[in-house]
Amino acid sequence: MRYGSSPARNADQLTAAAQTDDLTTWARGDGLEIVLVVLGAILACRAVAAVGHYATRRIDAAGGELDDVVRTERGKHQHALVQVLIWLGNVTIVCIAIVRCLTLLGFSLTGFVAPAAVLGVALGFGAQRIVQDLLAGFFIIAERQYGFGDLVRISTLGSETGVTGTIEEVSLRITKMRTFTGELVIVPNGQLVQVTNLSRDWARAVIDIPLWPNSDLVEAQRILREVGADVYRDPKLRPLLLDEPTVMGVETISTSFVKVRMVARTLPDRQYEVGRALRARVITAFREQGISLPTDTIIASSAPGTP
């Protein structure tokens, strides 16, 4: 005996078919648009990054008279601006994509106004440090305190000695710095207490040469002036020097040694290279002249560019 389909079963089948048709229609319409929005946002972020990399290459090419480490102050500032613009561009694209996807999913944005106001007040109290970081980053870039490639010493909250390294990235919220040992230091801009820029405009190599108290200081200073003149004539070191190294005279007097200071103004971030070359030539020149140096002292040091 054959029985026909019940009305309830037919209704369920019609409802399921209608839901399937609705889902198919949505997938071909709004669903497809959501996928396109997401893909478009990804491609737009990649395009922004590509434009940023192209801009940085153009900046480096424009400063071709210097190497990758030593850049003009204008180039450093432009690098920092490009990094910030890339960050702002990516944030804007992501926000627009999220709003568009929520709209396509059927959420009414007007219903989020009141909760967003409450959330904004809560974030205003809870995210004060983030706002502080953003404001600090804005002033760092606007005032050109430091930029990409600068050699800086950063002191943060709770730090006594600070950290020295080369700036690799500056954004509105954080600063990334690479130390001499290869460590990557990430510091929120709002926690910066003091920043010492060691590569702004020019630098200075300071060499303190220890001598025995009974040494002929006049002869020693004559030798140091000859070493400075030879270094200034050296075709490899001459482009790094702004003027001829000078002998300042006796800097320290003690019962065990006397220190004579020699200084040289250099290009930014090149004081260490010039300082090492000067130390090697000073030791060689003193050996040739038969002048011995105290063995329990250290020939120091290289200093940043200060007037």
Side-chain angles (χ1 to χ4, degrees):
M1 180 176 181
R2 299 180 60 186
Y3 296 93
S5 300
S6 65
R9 184 175 181 182
N10 291 335
D12 292 340
Q13 291 177 350
L14 292 175
T15 302
Q19 291 177 351
T20 303
D21 292 339
D22 292 340
L23 181 60
T24 304
T25 303
W26 180 86
R28 293 178 178 177
D30 293 343
L32 180 60
E33 187 171 350
I34 290 175
V35 174
L36 293 177
V37 168
V38 173
L39 292 177
I42 296 175
L43 293 177
C45 290
R46 290 182 177 272
V48 169
V51 172
H53 293 322
Y54 173 76
T56 55
R57 289 195 298 268
R58 289 292 301 271
I59 294 171
D60 293 338
E65 69 278 3
L66 302 176
D67 62 18
D68 291 337
V69 177
V70 182
R71 292 178 172 86
T72 63
E73 296 303 320
R74 181 180 179 183
K76 295 174 183 178
H77 182 62
Q78 289 174 345
H79 264 278
L81 285 178
V82 169
Q83 291 171 349
V84 171
L85 291 176
I86 292 174
W87 183 80
L88 288 176
N90 290 334
V91 170
T92 302
I93 292 170
V94 172
C95 290
I96 293 175
I98 291 175
V99 171
R100 182 56 181 165
C101 289
L102 290 176
T103 303
L104 293 173
L105 289 173
F107 292 97
S108 177
L109 298 181
T110 56
F112 290 97
V113 173
V118 177
L119 181 62
V121 174
L123 290 177
F125 290 100
Q128 294 181 10
R129 179 161 293 181
I130 295 178
V131 176
Q132 182 182 3
D133 294 341
L134 296 177
L135 290 176
F138 171 79
F139 286 109
I140 287 173
I141 296 172
E143 296 174 359
R144 301 188 180 188
Q145 298 178 15
Y146 56 82
F148 179 81
D150 272 334
L151 179 66
V152 301
R153 182 169 61 249
I154 290 180
S155 298
T156 60
L157 295 174
S159 175
E160 297 181 357
T161 59
V163 182
T164 303
T166 303
I167 298 296
E168 287 196 350
E169 182 179 346
V170 182
S171 66
L172 287 179
R173 200 183 73 82
I174 62 172
T175 293
K176 293 183 180 180
M177 180 180 65
R178 183 78 62 177
T179 64
F180 295 117
T181 57
E183 300 170 337
L184 182 63
V185 180
I186 302 175
V187 184
N189 294 328
Q191 296 186 16
L192 299 179
V193 177
Q194 182 183 23
V195 178
T196 304
N197 196 324
L198 306 178
S199 58
R200 174 61 61 86
D201 300 331
W202 57 275
R204 185 170 61 184
V206 181
I207 312 299
D208 289 334
I209 300 95
L211 299 171
W212 295 112
N214 58 355
S215 300
D216 188 347
L217 297 181
V218 176
E219 178 65 14
Q221 294 185 52
R222 184 191 66 79
I223 296 174
L224 292 177
R225 283 192 290 269
E226 291 182 355
V227 170
D230 292 339
V231 169
Y232 195 66
R233 290 192 297 266
D234 191 321
K236 295 183 179 179
L237 297 175
R238 174 65 181 87
L240 308 181
L241 294 167
L242 299 180
D243 48 35
E244 183 175 324
T246 58
V247 180
M248 305 298 293
V250 177
E251 181 67 21
T252 304
I253 298 177
S254 68
T255 57
S256 57
F257 61 87
V258 177
K259 282 187 178 181
V260 179
R261 174 161 293 183
M262 185 178 186
V263 300
R265 287 204 316 150
T266 71
L267 291 176
D269 200 30
R270 288 307 183 91
Q271 66 269 33
Y272 304 106
E273 181 178 352
V274 173
R276 288 191 291 268
L278 280 173
R279 293 187 188 94
R281 296 196 180 210
V282 166
I283 293 175
T284 302
F286 279 1
R287 286 178 178 174
E288 292 176 352
Q289 297 297 325
I291 300 177
S292 61
L293 300 177
T295 58
D296 57 345
T297 55
I298 300 175
I299 301 179
S301 56
S302 292
T306 53

